[in-house]
Coordinates of all heavy atoms in Angstrom, one line a residue:
M1 N 59.5 63.4 51.3 CA 60.5 62.5 52.0 C 61.9 63.0 51.7 O 62.3 63.2 50.6 CB 60.3 61.1 51.4 CG 61.2 60.1 52.0 SD 60.9 58.4 51.3 CE 62.3 57.6 51.8
R2 N 62.7 63.3 52.8 CA 64.0 63.8 52.6 C 65.0 62.6 52.4 O 64.9 61.6 53.1 CB 64.4 64.6 53.9 CG 65.7 65.2 53.9 CD 65.8 66.7 53.6 NE 64.6 67.4 53.3 CZ 64.2 68.5 53.9 NH1 64.8 69.0 54.9 NH2 63.1 69.2 53.5
I3 N 65.9 62.8 51.5 CA 66.8 61.8 51.2 C 68.2 62.4 51.0 O 68.3 63.5 50.5 CB 66.4 60.9 50.0 CG1 67.0 59.6 49.9 CG2 66.6 61.7 48.7 CD1 66.3 58.6 49.2
Y4 N 69.2 61.7 51.5 CA 70.6 62.2 51.4 C 71.5 61.3 50.6 O 71.3 60.0 50.7 CB 71.1 62.4 52.8 CG 70.4 63.5 53.6 CD1 69.3 63.2 54.4 CD2 70.7 64.8 53.4 CE1 68.6 64.2 55.1 CE2 70.0 65.8 54.1 CZ 69.0 65.5 54.9 OH 68.3 66.5 55.5
C5 N 72.5 61.8 50.0 CA 73.4 61.1 49.2 C 74.2 60.1 50.1 O 74.7 60.5 51.2 CB 74.4 62.0 48.5 SG 75.7 61.1 47.6
T6 N 74.3 58.9 49.7 CA 75.0 57.9 50.6 C 76.5 58.0 50.4 O 77.2 57.4 51.2 CB 74.5 56.4 50.2 OG1 74.7 56.3 48.8 CG2 73.1 56.2 50.5
T7 N 77.0 58.8 49.5 CA 78.4 59.0 49.3 C 78.9 60.3 50.0 O 79.8 60.2 50.8 CB 78.8 59.0 47.8 OG1 78.3 57.8 47.2 CG2 80.3 59.2 47.6
C8 N 78.3 61.4 49.7 CA 78.8 62.7 50.2 C 77.9 63.3 51.3 O 78.3 64.3 51.9 CB 79.0 63.7 49.0 SG 77.4 64.4 48.4
G9 N 76.7 62.8 51.4 CA 75.8 63.4 52.5 C 75.0 64.6 52.1 O 74.2 65.1 52.9
S10 N 75.2 65.1 50.9 CA 74.3 66.2 50.4 C 72.9 65.7 50.2 O 72.6 64.6 50.1 CB 74.9 66.7 49.1 OG 76.2 67.2 49.2
K11 N 72.0 66.8 50.0 CA 70.6 66.4 49.7 C 70.5 65.7 48.4 O 71.3 66.1 47.5 CB 69.8 67.7 49.7 CG 69.3 68.2 51.0 CD 68.4 69.4 50.9 CE 68.0 70.0 52.2 NZ 67.3 71.2 52.1
G12 N 69.6 64.8 48.3 CA 69.4 64.1 47.1 C 67.9 64.2 46.7 O 67.1 64.8 47.5
R13 N 67.6 63.7 45.5 CA 66.2 63.7 45.2 C 65.8 62.4 44.6 O 66.7 61.7 44.0 CB 65.8 64.9 44.2 CG 66.3 64.7 42.8 CD 65.8 65.9 41.9 NE 65.9 65.5 40.5 CZ 64.9 65.0 39.8 NH1 63.7 64.9 40.3 NH2 65.0 64.7 38.5
I14 N 64.5 62.0 44.7 CA 64.0 60.8 44.1 C 63.6 61.1 42.7 O 62.7 61.9 42.5 CB 62.9 60.2 44.9 CG1 63.3 59.9 46.3 CG2 62.3 59.0 44.3 CD1 62.2 59.8 47.3
S15 N 64.3 60.6 41.7 CA 63.9 60.9 40.3 C 62.8 60.1 39.8 O 62.0 60.5 38.9 CB 65.2 60.8 39.4 OG 65.7 59.5 39.5
S16 N 62.7 58.9 40.2 CA 61.6 58.0 39.8 C 61.4 56.9 40.8 O 62.3 56.6 41.7 CB 61.8 57.4 38.4 OG 62.9 56.6 38.4
R17 N 60.3 56.2 40.8 CA 60.0 55.1 41.7 C 59.4 53.9 40.9 O 58.7 54.1 39.9 CB 59.1 55.5 42.8 CG 57.9 56.3 42.3 CD 56.9 56.7 43.5 NE 56.1 55.6 43.9 CZ 55.8 55.4 45.1 NH1 56.1 56.2 46.1 NH2 55.0 54.3 45.4
E18 N 59.7 52.7 41.3 CA 59.2 51.5 40.7 C 58.5 50.7 41.8 O 59.1 50.2 42.7 CB 60.3 50.7 40.1 CG 59.9 49.5 39.3 CD 61.0 48.7 38.8 OE1 62.2 49.1 38.9 OE2 60.8 47.6 38.3
E19 N 57.1 50.7 41.7 CA 56.4 50.0 42.8 C 56.2 48.6 42.4 O 55.4 48.2 41.5 CB 55.0 50.7 42.9 CG 54.2 50.2 44.1 CD 52.9 51.0 44.3 OE1 53.0 52.2 44.6 OE2 51.9 50.3 44.3
L20 N 57.0 47.7 43.0 CA 57.0 46.3 42.8 C 55.8 45.6 43.4 O 55.1 44.8 42.8 CB 58.3 45.6 43.2 CG 59.6 46.1 42.6 CD1 60.8 45.4 43.1 CD2 59.5 46.0 41.0
T21 N 55.5 46.1 44.7 CA 54.3 45.7 45.4 C 53.9 46.9 46.2 O 54.6 47.9 46.2 CB 54.4 44.5 46.3 OG1 55.3 44.9 47.4 CG2 55.1 43.3 45.6
K22 N 52.7 46.9 46.8 CA 52.3 48.0 47.7 C 53.3 48.2 48.9 O 53.4 49.2 49.4 CB 50.9 47.8 48.2 CG 49.8 48.1 47.1 CD 48.5 48.3 47.8 CE 47.4 48.5 46.8 NZ 47.6 49.4 45.8
A23 N 54.0 47.1 49.2 CA 54.8 47.1 50.4 C 56.3 47.2 50.0 O 57.2 47.2 50.9 CB 54.6 45.9 51.2
F24 N 56.6 47.3 48.7 CA 58.0 47.3 48.3 C 58.2 48.2 47.1 O 57.7 47.9 46.0 CB 58.6 45.9 48.0 CG 60.1 45.8 47.8 CD1 60.9 45.5 48.9 CD2 60.6 46.1 46.6 CE1 62.3 45.5 48.7 CE2 62.0 46.1 46.4 CZ 62.8 45.8 47.5
V25 N 58.9 49.3 47.3 CA 59.1 50.3 46.2 C 60.6 50.6 46.0 O 61.3 50.8 47.0 CB 58.3 51.6 46.5 CG1 58.5 52.6 45.4 CG2 56.8 51.3 46.8
K26 N 61.0 50.6 44.8 CA 62.4 50.9 44.5 C 62.4 52.4 44.2 O 61.7 52.9 43.3 CB 62.9 50.2 43.3 CG 63.4 48.8 43.6 CD 64.0 48.2 42.3 CE 64.6 46.8 42.6 NZ 65.3 46.3 41.5
L27 N 63.3 53.2 44.8 CA 63.4 54.6 44.6 C 64.7 54.9 43.9 O 65.8 54.5 44.4 CB 63.4 55.4 46.0 CG 62.2 55.1 46.9 CD1 62.4 55.8 48.2 CD2 60.9 55.6 46.2
Y28 N 64.6 55.5 42.7 CA 65.8 55.9 42.0 C 66.2 57.3 42.4 O 65.4 58.2 42.2 CB 65.6 55.8 40.5 CG 65.4 54.3 40.1 CD1 64.2 53.7 40.2 CD2 66.5 53.6 39.6 CE1 64.1 52.3 39.9 CE2 66.4 52.3 39.2 CZ 65.2 51.6 39.4 OH 65.0 50.3 39.1
C29 N 67.4 57.5 42.9 CA 67.8 58.7 43.6 C 69.0 59.3 42.9 O 69.8 58.6 42.3 CB 68.1 58.5 45.1 SG 66.9 57.5 45.9
Q30 N 69.1 60.6 43.0 CA 70.3 61.3 42.5 C 70.8 62.4 43.5 O 69.9 63.1 44.1 CB 70.1 61.8 41.1 CG 69.0 62.8 41.0 CD 68.7 63.2 39.5 OE1 68.0 64.1 39.2 NE2 69.2 62.4 38.6
C31 N 72.1 62.5 43.6 CA 72.6 63.6 44.5 C 72.5 64.9 43.8 O 72.7 65.1 42.6 CB 74.1 63.3 44.7 SG 74.9 64.5 45.8
L32 N 72.1 66.0 44.6 CA 71.9 67.3 44.1 C 73.1 68.1 44.0 O 73.2 69.2 43.4 CB 70.8 68.0 44.9 CG 69.4 67.4 44.7 CD1 68.4 68.2 45.6 CD2 68.9 67.5 43.3
D33 N 74.2 67.6 44.6 CA 75.5 68.3 44.5 C 76.2 68.0 43.1 O 76.5 66.8 42.9 CB 76.4 67.8 45.6 CG 77.8 68.6 45.7 OD1 78.2 69.1 44.6 OD2 78.4 68.6 46.8
A34 N 76.3 69.0 42.3 CA 76.8 68.8 40.9 C 78.2 68.2 40.9 O 78.6 67.5 40.0 CB 76.7 70.2 40.2
K35 N 79.0 68.5 42.0 CA 80.3 68.0 42.0 C 80.4 66.5 42.3 O 81.4 65.8 42.2 CB 81.2 68.8 43.1 CG 81.5 70.2 42.6 CD 82.3 70.9 43.7 CE 81.4 71.2 44.8 NZ 81.7 72.2 45.8
C36 N 79.3 66.0 42.9 CA 79.2 64.6 43.2 C 78.5 63.8 42.1 O 79.2 62.9 41.4 CB 78.4 64.4 44.5 SG 78.2 62.7 45.0
G37 N 77.2 64.0 41.9 CA 76.5 63.4 40.8 C 76.2 61.9 41.0 O 75.8 61.2 40.0
H38 N 76.3 61.4 42.2 CA 76.0 60.0 42.5 C 74.6 59.7 42.3 O 73.7 60.5 42.6 CB 76.4 59.8 44.0 CG 76.1 58.4 44.5 ND1 75.7 58.1 45.8 CD2 76.3 57.2 43.9 CE1 75.6 56.8 45.9 NE2 75.9 56.2 44.8
T39 N 74.3 58.6 41.6 CA 72.9 58.1 41.5 C 72.9 56.7 42.1 O 73.8 56.0 42.1 CB 72.4 58.0 40.0 OG1 73.3 57.2 39.3 CG2 72.5 59.4 39.4
W40 N 71.7 56.4 42.8 CA 71.6 55.1 43.5 C 70.2 54.7 43.6 O 69.3 55.5 43.3 CB 72.3 55.2 44.9 CG 71.6 56.0 45.9 CD1 70.7 55.6 46.8 CD2 71.6 57.5 46.0 NE1 70.2 56.6 47.6 CE2 70.8 57.8 47.1 CE3 72.3 58.5 45.4 CZ2 70.6 59.1 47.5 CZ3 72.1 59.8 45.8 CH2 71.2 60.1 46.9
V41 N 70.0 53.5 44.0 CA 68.7 52.9 44.2 C 68.5 52.6 45.7 O 69.4 52.0 46.3 CB 68.4 51.6 43.4 CG1 67.0 51.1 43.6 CG2 68.6 51.9 41.9
A42 N 67.4 53.1 46.3 CA 67.1 52.8 47.6 C 65.7 52.0 47.6 O 64.9 52.2 46.8 CB 66.9 54.1 48.4
N43 N 65.6 51.2 48.6 CA 64.3 50.4 48.7 C 63.5 50.9 49.9 O 64.0 51.2 51.0 CB 64.7 48.9 49.0 CG 65.4 48.3 47.9 OD1 65.2 48.6 46.7 ND2 66.3 47.3 48.2
L44 N 62.2 51.1 49.6 CA 61.2 51.6 50.6 C 60.3 50.4 50.8 O 59.7 49.9 50.0 CB 60.4 52.7 50.0 CG 59.4 53.3 50.9 CD1 60.0 54.0 52.2 CD2 58.6 54.4 50.1
T45 N 60.4 49.9 52.1 CA 59.6 48.6 52.4 C 58.7 48.9 53.6 O 59.0 49.7 54.4 CB 60.5 47.5 52.8 OG1 61.3 47.8 53.9 CG2 61.5 47.1 51.6
F46 N 57.6 48.2 53.5 CA 56.6 48.2 54.7 C 57.3 47.4 55.8 O 58.0 46.4 55.6 CB 55.3 47.5 54.3 CG 54.4 47.2 55.4 CD1 53.6 48.2 55.9 CD2 54.4 45.9 56.0 CE1 52.7 47.9 57.0 CE2 53.6 45.7 57.1 CZ 52.7 46.7 57.6
S47 N 57.2 47.9 57.0 CA 57.8 47.3 58.2 C 56.7 46.5 59.0 O 56.7 45.3 58.9 CB 58.6 48.3 59.0 OG 59.0 47.6 60.2
H48 N 55.9 47.2 59.7 CA 54.9 46.6 60.5 C 53.8 47.5 60.8 O 54.0 48.7 60.8 CB 55.5 45.9 61.8 CG 56.1 46.9 62.7 ND1 57.4 47.5 62.4 CD2 55.7 47.6 63.8 CE1 57.7 48.3 63.4 NE2 56.7 48.4 64.2
T49 N 52.6 47.0 61.2 CA 51.5 47.8 61.5 C 51.5 48.3 63.0 O 51.9 47.5 63.9 CB 50.2 47.0 61.3 OG1 50.1 46.7 59.9 CG2 48.9 47.8 61.7
L50 N 51.2 49.6 63.2 CA 51.1 50.0 64.6 C 49.7 50.0 65.1 O 49.4 49.6 66.2 CB 51.6 51.5 64.7 CG 53.1 51.6 64.5 CD1 53.5 53.1 64.5 CD2 53.9 50.9 65.5
R51 N 48.7 50.4 64.2 CA 47.3 50.3 64.5 C 46.6 49.8 63.2 O 46.9 50.4 62.2 CB 46.8 51.6 64.9 CG 45.3 51.6 65.2 CD 44.7 52.8 65.9 NE 45.3 54.0 65.4 CZ 44.7 55.2 65.6 NH1 43.6 55.3 66.3 NH2 45.3 56.3 65.2
P52 N 45.8 48.7 63.3 CA 45.2 48.2 62.1 C 44.3 49.3 61.4 O 43.7 50.1 62.1 CB 44.5 47.0 62.5 CG 44.4 47.0 64.0 CD 45.4 48.0 64.5
S53 N 44.1 49.2 60.1 CA 43.2 50.0 59.4 C 41.8 49.8 59.9 O 41.4 48.7 60.3 CB 43.3 49.7 57.9 OG 42.1 50.0 57.3
A54 N 41.0 50.9 60.0 CA 39.6 50.8 60.4 C 38.8 49.8 59.5 O 37.9 49.1 59.9 CB 38.9 52.1 60.4
Q55 N 39.2 49.8 58.2 CA 38.6 48.9 57.3 C 38.9 47.4 57.6 O 38.0 46.6 57.5 CB 39.1 49.2 55.8 CG 38.7 50.5 55.3 CD 39.4 50.9 54.1 OE1 40.3 50.2 53.6 NE2 38.9 52.0 53.4
Q56 N 40.1 47.1 58.0 CA 40.4 45.8 58.4 C 39.7 45.4 59.7 O 39.2 44.3 59.8 CB 41.9 45.7 58.7 CG 42.8 45.6 57.5 CD 44.3 45.6 57.9 OE1 44.7 46.2 58.8 NE2 45.0 44.7 57.2
L57 N 39.5 46.3 60.6 CA 38.8 46.0 61.9 C 37.4 45.6 61.6 O 36.8 44.7 62.1 CB 38.8 47.2 62.8 CG 40.0 47.4 63.7 CD1 39.9 48.7 64.5 CD2 40.2 46.2 64.6
D58 N 36.7 46.3 60.6 CA 35.3 46.0 60.2 C 35.2 44.6 59.7 O 34.3 43.8 60.0 CB 34.8 47.0 59.2 CG 34.5 48.4 59.8 OD1 34.6 48.5 61.0 OD2 34.3 49.3 59.0
V59 N 36.2 44.2 58.9 CA 36.2 42.9 58.2 C 36.4 41.8 59.3 O 35.7 40.8 59.4 CB 37.3 42.8 57.1 CG1 37.4 41.4 56.7 CG2 36.9 43.7 56.0
L60 N 37.4 42.1 60.2 CA 37.7 41.1 61.3 C 36.5 40.9 62.2 O 36.1 39.8 62.5 CB 38.9 41.6 62.1 CG 40.3 41.5 61.5 CD1 41.3 42.2 62.4 CD2 40.6 40.1 61.3
L61 N 35.8 42.0 62.5 CA 34.7 42.0 63.4 C 33.5 41.2 62.7 O 32.9 40.4 63.4 CB 34.2 43.4 63.7 CG 33.3 43.7 64.9 CD1 34.0 43.1 66.2 CD2 33.0 45.1 65.1
F62 N 33.3 41.5 61.5 CA 32.2 40.8 60.7 C 32.5 39.3 60.7 O 31.6 38.5 60.9 CB 32.1 41.4 59.3 CG 31.0 40.8 58.5 CD1 29.7 41.2 58.7 CD2 31.2 39.8 57.6 CE1 28.7 40.6 58.0 CE2 30.2 39.2 56.9 CZ 28.9 39.6 57.1
D63 N 33.8 39.0 60.4 CA 34.1 37.5 60.3 C 33.9 36.8 61.6 O 33.4 35.7 61.7 CB 35.6 37.4 59.8 CG 35.7 37.7 58.3 OD1 34.7 37.8 57.6 OD2 36.9 37.8 57.9
R64 N 34.3 37.5 62.7 CA 34.2 36.9 64.0 C 32.7 36.7 64.3 O 32.3 35.7 64.8 CB 34.8 37.8 65.1 CG 36.3 37.7 65.2 CD 36.8 36.4 65.7 NE 36.1 35.9 66.9 CZ 36.5 36.2 68.2 NH1 37.4 37.0 68.4 NH2 35.8 35.6 69.2
L65 N 31.9 37.7 64.1 CA 30.4 37.7 64.4 C 29.8 36.6 63.6 O 28.9 35.8 64.1 CB 29.8 39.0 64.1 CG 30.0 40.1 65.1 CD1 29.5 41.4 64.6 CD2 29.4 39.7 66.4
R66 N 30.1 36.5 62.3 CA 29.5 35.5 61.4 C 29.8 34.0 61.9 O 29.0 33.1 61.7 CB 30.0 35.7 60.0 CG 29.2 35.0 58.9 CD 29.8 35.1 57.6 NE 31.2 34.9 57.6 CZ 32.1 35.3 56.7 NH1 31.6 36.0 55.6 NH2 33.4 35.1 56.8
D67 N 31.0 33.9 62.5 CA 31.4 32.5 63.0 C 30.7 32.1 64.3 O 30.7 31.0 64.7 CB 32.9 32.4 63.1 CG 33.6 32.5 61.8 OD1 32.9 32.3 60.8 OD2 34.8 32.8 61.8
L68 N 30.1 33.1 65.0 CA 29.4 32.8 66.2 C 28.1 32.1 66.0 O 27.4 32.3 65.0 CB 29.1 34.1 67.0 CG 30.3 34.8 67.6 CD1 29.9 36.1 68.2 CD2 31.1 34.0 68.6
P69 N 27.7 31.2 66.9 CA 26.4 30.6 66.8 C 25.3 31.7 66.9 O 25.5 32.7 67.6 CB 26.3 29.7 68.0 CG 27.6 29.6 68.6 CD 28.4 30.8 68.1
P70 N 24.1 31.5 66.2 CA 23.1 32.5 66.1 C 22.7 33.0 67.5 O 22.4 34.2 67.7 CB 21.9 31.8 65.4 CG 22.6 30.7 64.6 CD 23.8 30.3 65.3
A71 N 22.5 32.1 68.5 CA 22.1 32.5 69.8 C 23.1 33.5 70.4 O 22.7 34.5 71.0 CB 22.0 31.3 70.7
Q72 N 24.4 33.3 70.2 CA 25.4 34.2 70.8 C 25.4 35.5 70.0 O 25.6 36.6 70.6 CB 26.7 33.5 70.7 CG 27.7 33.9 71.8 CD 28.9 33.0 71.8 OE1 29.0 32.0 71.2 NE2 30.0 33.5 72.4
Q73 N 25.1 35.4 68.7 CA 25.0 36.7 67.9 C 23.9 37.5 68.5 O 24.0 38.7 68.7 CB 24.7 36.4 66.4 CG 25.9 35.8 65.7 CD 25.5 35.5 64.2 OE1 24.4 35.8 63.8 NE2 26.5 34.9 63.5
R74 N 22.7 36.9 68.7 CA 21.5 37.7 69.2 C 21.8 38.3 70.6 O 21.5 39.4 70.8 CB 20.3 36.7 69.3 CG 19.5 36.7 68.0 CD 18.1 36.1 68.3 NE 18.2 34.7 68.8 CZ 18.4 33.7 67.9 NH1 18.4 33.9 66.6 NH2 18.5 32.5 68.4
E75 N 22.5 37.5 71.4 CA 22.9 37.9 72.8 C 23.7 39.2 72.7 O 23.5 40.2 73.4 CB 23.6 36.8 73.5 CG 23.7 37.0 75.0 CD 24.5 35.9 75.6 OE1 24.1 34.7 75.3 OE2 25.4 36.1 76.4
L76 N 24.7 39.2 71.8 CA 25.6 40.3 71.6 C 24.8 41.5 71.1 O 25.0 42.6 71.6 CB 26.7 40.0 70.6 CG 28.0 39.4 71.2 CD1 28.9 39.0 70.0 CD2 28.7 40.4 72.1
F77 N 24.0 41.3 70.1 CA 23.2 42.5 69.6 C 22.2 43.0 70.6 O 22.0 44.2 70.7 CB 22.5 42.1 68.3 CG 23.4 42.1 67.1 CD1 23.7 40.9 66.4 CD2 24.1 43.2 66.7 CE1 24.6 40.8 65.4 CE2 24.9 43.2 65.6 CZ 25.2 42.0 65.0
D78 N 21.7 42.1 71.5 CA 20.8 42.6 72.5 C 21.6 43.5 73.5 O 21.1 44.5 73.9 CB 20.2 41.4 73.3 CG 19.1 40.7 72.5 OD1 18.7 41.3 71.5 OD2 18.7 39.6 72.9
Q79 N 22.8 43.0 73.9 CA 23.6 43.8 74.8 C 24.0 45.2 74.2 O 23.9 46.2 74.8 CB 24.9 43.1 75.1 CG 24.7 41.9 76.1 CD 26.0 41.2 76.3 OE1 27.0 41.6 75.8 NE2 25.9 40.1 77.1
L80 N 24.3 45.2 72.9 CA 24.6 46.5 72.2 C 23.4 47.4 72.2 O 23.6 48.6 72.4 CB 25.0 46.2 70.7 CG 26.5 45.7 70.5 CD1 26.6 45.3 69.1 CD2 27.5 46.8 70.9
G81 N 22.2 46.8 72.0 CA 21.0 47.6 72.0 C 20.7 48.3 73.3 O 20.4 49.5 73.4
K82 N 21.0 47.5 74.4 CA 20.8 48.0 75.8 C 21.7 49.2 76.0 O 21.4 50.2 76.6 CB 21.0 46.9 76.8 CG 19.8 46.0 76.9 CD 20.1 44.8 77.9 CE 19.1 43.7 77.7 NZ 19.6 42.4 78.2
Q83 N 23.0 49.0 75.6 CA 24.0 50.0 75.9 C 23.7 51.3 75.1 O 24.0 52.4 75.6 CB 25.4 49.5 75.5 CG 25.9 48.6 76.6 CD 27.3 48.0 76.2 OE1 27.8 48.2 75.1 NE2 27.8 47.2 77.1
A84 N 23.1 51.2 73.9 CA 22.8 52.3 73.1 C 21.7 53.1 73.7 O 21.7 54.4 73.6 CB 22.5 51.9 71.6
V85 N 20.8 52.5 74.3 CA 19.6 53.1 74.9 C 20.0 53.8 76.3 O 19.7 54.9 76.6 CB 18.5 52.1 75.2 CG1 17.4 52.8 76.0 CG2 17.9 51.6 73.8
A86 N 20.9 53.1 77.0 CA 21.3 53.6 78.4 C 22.1 54.9 78.3 O 22.7 55.2 77.3 CB 22.1 52.5 79.1
Ligands
ZN1 ZN1 76.7 63.1 46.6

C-alpha cells in the first residue's frame, strides 16, 4: 500500500498498525524524507461490499432453503436434479 506524507507529499511508510476491528485499522505512518520527519496516524476503514463473499452466499442460500416449506424444498431440488441431467 503506497502512502504519502500529508505535510510534504514525499513517500511515507507504515511503521505499525493497530487493528481495532477487522473493519477499522489505525496505521502509524512516518515520512521517509529525513528533512521532514513527519509522523501521523491514518485510519483504514471498510467501506462497502461490491460482491458478497462466496462463503456468505452459501450461508444465505442455506438459510433461505431451510425457511421454505418441505414441499417447496423438494420441488426446488427436483428442478435442480432435472437441470443437472439435461
Ligand atoms: Zn513529509
